[in-house]
Amino acid sequence: MSDSESKIADAIANPQNMGEMSDADSVGTVGNPECGDMVRMWLKFDHKNGKKIIDKASFQSFGCQTAIAVASMATEMLKGKTVEEAQELNSKDLSAPLGPLPPMKIHCGEMVEGALRDALNEDSESSEPTQTSQPATNTLLGDMNEPSLKSGKLKVVKIDD
Ligand code: FES
């Protein structure tokens, strides 16, 4: 087992911050039509020294063990970060404690990044009272029917409840 594989196995055996957060300020969800997995992330904010920070983060991942491992690391990493700092983090940063992910698993880290971005976006949009209906292609099902998927390009899509 490689170093990265054993770190992933450890994180899966003892995942941190897994589960729905009932008092969350925002939630982000993404799905990947190719592997059928979904990652959802909840964020709770606080203020420190005049800055908005992430007080705590939690996640759910449906199906994928590597996404669980990355999300576990990411939700620990996010605690105490300012929103600006969190926006700077990409999937490589979020999965860094696990070591480099195998090529087939890179998209699992991208799913976690996508869920984080969605949650951060949702929070910045939350002051807008308007609710617009989403186009049908902006759902997991709608996206699965997108012809562009046939090109084989990885696509992580935002999912609305
Ligand atoms: Fe698709 Fe991990 S296999 S998220």
Side-chain angles (χ1 to χ4, degrees):
M1 196 185 270
S2 72
D3 191 37
S4 172
E5 281 169 339
S6 71
K7 283 181 181 159
I8 290 172
D10 286 350
I12 293 164
N14 185 24
Q16 305 296 305
N17 313 306
M18 192 158 73
E20 186 174 344
M21 192 193 297
S22 55
D23 60 344
D25 293 318
S26 76
V27 56
T29 309
V30 293
N32 183 321
E34 288 187 12
C35 67
D37 286 328
M38 254 173 73
V39 175
R40 183 165 286 167
M41 189 179 287
W42 288 266
L43 298 176
K44 177 89 186 151
F45 299 104
D46 200 355
H47 286 87
K48 203 173 178 184
N49 302 328
K51 290 198 166 178
K52 188 169 176 180
I53 61 157
I54 296 175
D55 185 37
K56 54 183 180 169
S58 77
F59 76 97
Q60 272 183 341
S61 170
F62 302 91
C64 173
Q65 303 276 291
T66 306
I68 291 174
V70 176
S72 171
M73 295 292 165
T75 47
E76 281 294 287
M77 190 186 294
L78 287 168
K79 277 183 206 166
K81 289 236 184 304
T82 65
V83 168
E84 289 76 20
E85 286 168 341
Q87 275 161 344
E88 300 278 301
L89 295 171
N90 61 28
S91 57
K92 261 194 173 160
D93 301 321
L94 296 171
S95 61
L98 298 169
L101 296 177
M104 289 295 292
K105 295 289 176 183
I106 286 175
H107 81 274
C108 312
E110 290 171 347
M111 294 271 284
V112 177
E113 179 190 339
L116 170 63
R117 296 213 177 284
D118 191 28
L120 291 171
N121 281 344
E122 188 198 70
D123 181 59
S124 63
E125 288 164 4
S126 61
S127 52
E128 292 169 22
T130 45
Q131 278 275 330
T132 52
S133 58
Q134 299 290 329
T137 53
N138 202 17
T139 63
L140 184 57
L141 190 63
D143 219 89
M144 281 174 158
N145 297 325
E146 275 274 310
S148 61
L149 281 176
K150 302 211 164 60
S151 68
K153 245 178 77 191
L154 171 71
K155 190 161 185 181
V156 174
V157 294
K158 179 180 186 299
I159 296 176
D160 292 317
D161 288 326

